[in-house]
Amino acid sequence: MLYDLPNLRNTDSGNFFLLAGPCVVETEEITYNTALRIKEITDKLKIPFVFKASYRKANRSKLDSFQGIGDMEALKLLGRIKKELNVPIVTDIHNPDEAAMAAEYADILQIPAFLCRQTDLLEAAGRTGKIVNIKKGQFLSPEGMKFAAQKVFETGNNRVMLTDRGTTFGYQDLIIDYRGIPEMQKTGLPVILDITHSLQQPNQAGGITGGRPDLIDTVARAGIAVGVDGLFLETHPNPAIAMSDGANMLHLDKLEWLLTRLVKLRKAVNNL
């Protein structure tokens, strides 16, 4: 299960845990209302829930892509959501200088897949004492993730999670190798499947990443079936107008339907 977090609920349910929210902090209304709705659903279904939103997006394809509303404005909003809704927060960091700043508001610091081998970033995240969620690079083998985790361990911080978000397949697609889930679980660390980023179709000619959200249910059920510890997904009240990654996000209206199916599957897997 997930490491001890004082505001993590439903930890005795036997369910997978969930990291979910919009890709990036866009507006106060969208961010807060999305967090509130996910909390309502996960409490109903007894799913441990961590709210996810990036306070800034640094790894965009095009220079004019939306990156955020301002670092401190976004972080303070995440801090308010954490306090008022009593939910843990996970957010991305992109360089070592951000680690301490983000740690003031977030419970989990997330290392983006493209940056999973950046030693100074991993060390800075580790030194905060926060849980560090390292996303597996699209270019990296599951076996290779133990070395990324070791860089955090060397700071004296053993609170590490690993997330699979697909592997590069050609120039414009990703594929999930489900053999990687048990392989990464050999480390003894919680392993998460990112079910929305794994369905991205990067490097499109127009400079905006595409996606296959119609397959979210398929890959999520497969992940639960192979015994993943947690799921990561991005969701939005209207993905068509989302400022980032709208092409692969789940519509918020579909979240309860999806999670209800996954909880039933998890119970079946637990009884095997």
Side-chain angles (χ1 to χ4, degrees):
M1 182 45 71
L2 197 52
Y3 301 98
D4 289 340
L5 288 173
N7 48 353
L8 186 68
R9 300 161 60 88
N10 305 308
T11 55
D12 58 351
S13 64
N15 273 325
F16 53 89
F17 60 87
L18 178 70
L19 281 60
C23 179
V24 64
V25 174
E26 297 179 13
T27 67
E28 180 177 355
E29 180 182 11
I30 288 175
T31 309
Y32 187 92
N33 289 343
T34 301
L36 177 60
R37 180 60 184 140
I38 302 173
K39 183 178 187 292
E40 291 171 345
I41 294 170
T42 51
D43 277 349
K44 178 181 177 180
L45 297 174
K46 305 299 181 186
I47 299 171
F49 163 55
V50 179
F51 180 65
K52 183 270 169 184
S54 298
Y55 67 89
R56 176 164 57 89
K57 300 300 292 185
N59 55 338
R60 302 294 85 191
S61 297
K62 297 171 66 178
L63 183 61
D64 60 356
S65 296
F66 178 77
Q67 294 188 30
I69 63 173
D71 291 358
M72 291 312 302
E73 184 178 352
L75 284 169
K76 287 178 181 178
L77 176 55
L78 292 176
R80 177 191 156 201
I81 290 170
K82 174 181 177 177
K83 181 178 180 180
E84 293 187 9
L85 299 185
N86 194 30
V87 295
I89 299 292
V90 56
T91 197
D92 300 310
I93 60 172
H94 302 88
N95 65 67
D97 292 339
E98 296 177 28
M101 177 180 69
E104 291 291 321
Y105 302 90
D107 301 277
I108 302 173
L109 300 181
Q110 185 164 275
I111 308 300
F114 286 130
L115 302 177
C116 70
R117 294 178 62 180
Q118 296 298 109
T119 300
D120 54 352
L121 179 60
L122 291 164
E123 289 177 337
R127 285 193 293 268
T128 68
K130 298 290 184 175
I131 298 171
V132 181
N133 181 29
I134 312 173
K135 287 198 167 184
K136 185 185 79 66
Q138 301 91 322
F139 47 84
L140 197 63
S141 71
E143 296 86 352
M145 287 300 290
K146 62 178 177 287
F147 301 113
Q150 188 62 38
K151 294 177 181 181
V152 179
F153 296 161
E154 290 297 324
T155 69
N157 184 350
N158 294 322
R159 304 170 77 205
V160 177
M161 307 188 299
L162 304 177
T163 295
D164 195 330
R165 52 95 74 230
T167 300
T168 299
F169 186 70
Y171 287 116
Q172 296 178 325
D173 210 353
L174 297 167
I175 192 168
I176 303 170
D177 182 356
Y178 287 95
R179 298 174 299 179
I181 302 299
E183 187 63 39
M184 288 192 288
Q185 285 175 330
K186 290 179 181 178
T187 62
L189 301 173
V191 174
I192 301 163
L193 176 62
D194 181 340
I195 61 177
T196 49
H197 286 107
S198 294
L199 292 168
Q200 283 184 334
Q201 295 178 318
N203 304 316
Q204 298 297 307
I208 299 176
T209 297
R212 290 290 307 275
D214 54 302
L215 292 174
I216 289 173
D217 177 53
T218 300
V219 301
R221 285 187 287 120
I224 295 296
V226 300
V228 74
D229 300 294
L231 294 176
F232 176 106
L233 67 85
E234 291 183 340
T235 182
H236 192 281
N238 187 355
I241 64 168
M243 301 298 291
S244 178
D245 283 0
N248 56 267
M249 276 199 279
L250 179 72
H251 198 294
L252 186 59
D253 287 347
K254 297 180 179 179
L255 182 62
E256 184 171 357
W257 172 84
L258 173 68
L259 293 179
T260 299
R261 287 163 59 83
L262 298 179
V263 166
K264 291 178 180 178
L265 181 59
R266 176 63 172 233
K267 289 179 179 177
V269 171
N270 288 346
N271 290 329
L272 290 177

